[in-house]
Amino acid sequence: MTEKFIGHIGVDSGQMMLCDPCYLEYWEKRKNVDFHNLSEFEGDFSYAGAAQATLSDKSVGILKDGMAAVCSTGWGDGLYPVYVTYEGNRISEMRIVFISEEPTFDDCEQCNTSAEYCECEF
């Protein structure tokens, strides 16, 4: 098995969602959500449903019978390194590192990430 750094993913809401893009047409757009009463949105395939899961005690959840998995990023907004692991020519897993020993994202001037995760060739 070989792990390879593939780039960074941006976060502006302090949470991450893993979802098949074909499900996005079912994403429920809701306005005027009361974030003090998120329990009514548990499991919804919506921003409110994602917020309910990531703000829960476990900070994770599954939306709409498996359409998406969501989690808190631990640090909040930022750029997070993404890795894939290959078994032969097939991807066996994807990994996003939210918290590292030193959460700095600006060590490398070329890719704007921590030197720990930078794989720039310069």
Side-chain angles (χ1 to χ4, degrees):
M1 291 192 296
T2 304
E3 185 176 68
K4 180 168 177 41
F5 170 78
I6 61 169
H8 294 87
I9 191 158
V11 173
D12 287 319
S13 65
Q15 54 191 344
M16 179 60 57
M17 181 172 84
L18 182 61
C19 173
D20 187 322
C22 76
Y23 295 146
L24 293 178
E25 68 182 283
Y26 302 108
W27 184 255
E28 298 175 33
K29 295 182 180 180
R30 297 186 186 198
K31 297 181 180 179
N32 302 323
V33 174
D34 178 6
F35 285 91
H36 297 291
N37 187 19
L38 289 172
S39 60
E40 66 183 274
F41 301 105
E42 185 174 355
D44 282 4
F45 191 57
S46 66
Y47 185 81
Q52 184 281 324
T54 62
L55 294 171
S56 71
D57 291 341
K58 294 183 180 180
S59 301
V60 298
I62 298 294
L63 305 182
K64 192 68 174 180
D65 300 322
M67 282 189 170
V70 294
C71 70
S72 170
T73 61
W75 284 116
D77 302 347
L79 290 173
Y80 295 95
V82 180
Y83 297 85
V84 293
T85 300
Y86 290 91
E87 287 192 35
N89 292 331
R90 297 181 66 183
I91 295 173
S92 61
E93 67 182 73
M94 178 183 277
R95 183 170 69 94
I96 303 167
V97 178
F98 296 126
I99 299 175
S100 62
E101 289 183 22
E102 295 194 25
T104 58
F105 299 100
D106 58 355
D107 290 348
C108 175
E109 292 178 15
Q110 184 173 346
C111 70
N112 199 35
T113 190
S114 169
E116 179 181 0
Y117 301 110
C118 175
E119 292 189 5
C120 293
E121 308 224 359
F122 56 99

